[in-house]
Amino acid sequence: MKTKHTPIGVLIIFLLLVNTAIVNAQEKPVIPAYVAVTTMHWNMEMEDFDMDKWKATEKEYLDKVTMKNEHVLSSSFYLHYFTADNSEVIYVRTYPSWDAIDKAVTRNEELEKLAWPNESARDAYFKKQGAYYSNEHSDEIYAPIPGAKLLPQGSKEDYITYVRKSHFAFPEDGSREDFMALRTEGNEKIIQKNEFIRAYYPNVHAWGSDRTEFMEAFYVDTLADLDKMLDRQGTLAEEAWPNETARTARNKKVSKYFTGIHGDFIYRRIGVLSK
């Protein structure tokens, strides 16, 4: 099928091609090229489920495999807090390149055999691990875009994670330059100055079911801080654009790049299971 590219369509392509890897002499956190999000589900028929035992099982895999896989920049688990499905278990991995995704799979297999050299023991571990989950899962791959506020490298803190999924509108009168200028200005004046936001990660669709998706993840300490964060966003916007008419005009310019439809999801990051 032939795709029609509008100016904002060119913008999305540009964002996906942005080289966002950031490494300096102080070894600051690296912004990945791709983020893989797997939505799994608890096995709701498991009668002897124990959260601590689940964490211990996944921690064993983290220590023996994921931590040693040089192709995986980071990984983390997120559990349902306020979403439409209480069975959700979100598993996120980040990669420095598209090629690294395939390499990571091969490297996992190698490390699994090193971790459990006895085949029977290896099979027993994966049977125990798999018993926690249903057979249903889905995968999406996103591409980070500039404007992130990063967690410290190796953070093991639990965080409330608010995910907002919006959708691009592809306006005929839009442009990459206009969108990026609006977004950069808003990011600098609001998100980066909001003291309740511990981390922020903006991502666009790279591979999956909906190319219009714009996914933002906000990390805060507590659920109460989420309310404070949202209130603070409004206050910072008023401080940045004190003239109400100018502020309204700017909001109108930003809103034309989106459909106006978005979804809200709140998860709990499991810090101990994070790389």
Side-chain angles (χ1 to χ4, degrees):
M1 181 176 69
K2 188 174 182 180
T3 303
K4 178 181 178 182
H5 294 292
T6 64
I8 189 64
V10 175
L11 161 67
I12 303 304
I13 294 172
F14 167 80
L15 292 174
L16 293 176
L17 294 176
V18 169
N19 178 12
T20 56
I22 301 175
V23 184
N24 62 24
Q26 287 73 42
E27 294 187 359
K28 288 184 179 179
V30 177
I31 297 180
Y34 295 100
V35 180
V37 178
T38 299
T39 301
M40 304 182 292
H41 299 272
W42 295 121
N43 174 8
M44 303 302 282
E45 297 180 358
M46 188 178 189
E47 295 182 356
D48 58 345
F49 174 84
D50 183 289
M51 181 62 73
D52 290 335
K53 289 181 179 179
W54 169 73
K55 288 182 181 179
T57 300
E58 288 296 352
K59 183 69 163 53
E60 183 178 4
Y61 190 88
L62 174 69
D63 292 340
K64 293 181 176 180
V65 179
T66 308
M67 293 298 294
K68 298 178 180 180
N69 191 327
E70 65 274 22
H71 303 295
V72 179
L73 292 177
S74 66
S75 70
S76 50
F77 280 90
Y78 299 82
L79 303 185
H80 155 90
Y81 202 95
F82 283 107
T83 71
D85 186 347
N86 72 317
S87 74
E88 283 184 327
V89 182
I90 311 297
Y91 183 40
V92 178
R93 287 88 63 217
T94 68
Y95 303 94
S97 67
W98 188 267
D99 189 46
I101 297 175
D102 281 336
K103 289 181 178 179
V105 173
T106 301
R107 183 62 173 146
N108 277 348
E109 294 172 352
E110 295 171 352
L111 290 166
E112 288 164 5
K113 290 178 180 179
L114 291 173
W116 298 279
N118 180 281
E119 185 175 357
S120 296
R122 189 164 64 249
D123 290 343
Y125 169 79
F126 285 113
K127 182 177 181 180
K128 178 177 68 172
Q129 183 194 47
Y132 287 99
Y133 308 106
S134 72
N135 293 323
E136 178 190 358
H137 81 273
S138 61
D139 298 288
E140 298 283 342
I141 299 178
Y142 298 93
I145 63 174
K149 189 174 185 178
L150 305 176
L151 286 175
Q153 189 75 31
S155 169
K156 296 294 183 181
E157 299 295 324
D158 289 353
Y159 287 101
I160 296 297
T161 306
Y162 164 53
V163 176
R164 181 168 62 207
K165 294 183 180 180
S166 307
H167 298 272
F168 288 113
F170 307 101
E172 291 289 347
D173 61 343
S175 72
R176 174 180 65 82
E177 291 78 12
D178 181 52
F179 179 84
M180 289 301 291
L182 288 167
R183 192 176 178 282
T184 299
E185 183 183 29
N187 184 279
E188 292 175 352
K189 293 184 176 181
I190 299 177
I191 291 176
Q192 298 299 325
K193 291 184 178 181
N194 192 326
E195 64 272 24
F196 297 104
I197 299 176
R198 298 304 184 195
Y200 168 72
Y201 295 92
N203 302 276
V204 296
H205 164 272
W207 187 270
S209 59
D210 187 350
R211 76 182 182 96
T212 72
E213 195 170 80
F214 177 46
M215 183 182 73
E216 301 169 277
F218 300 80
Y219 291 65
V220 297
D221 289 328
T222 65
L223 194 59
D225 282 346
L226 178 57
D227 276 339
K228 294 175 183 177
M229 179 206 86
L230 295 172
D231 287 341
R232 184 66 172 140
Q233 297 284 79
T235 300
L236 286 167
E238 291 177 0
E239 292 175 357
W241 300 280
N243 182 285
E244 185 176 356
T245 301
R247 189 168 64 250
T248 300
R250 184 186 183 279
N251 290 340
K252 186 176 181 180
K253 287 182 67 176
V254 172
S255 66
K256 77 177 182 180
Y257 288 102
F258 297 96
T259 64
I261 296 173
H262 76 272
D264 300 292
F265 312 83
I266 302 176
Y267 299 97
R268 180 165 55 91
R269 178 183 188 254
I270 308 302
V272 71
L273 296 181
S274 300
K275 177 179 179 179

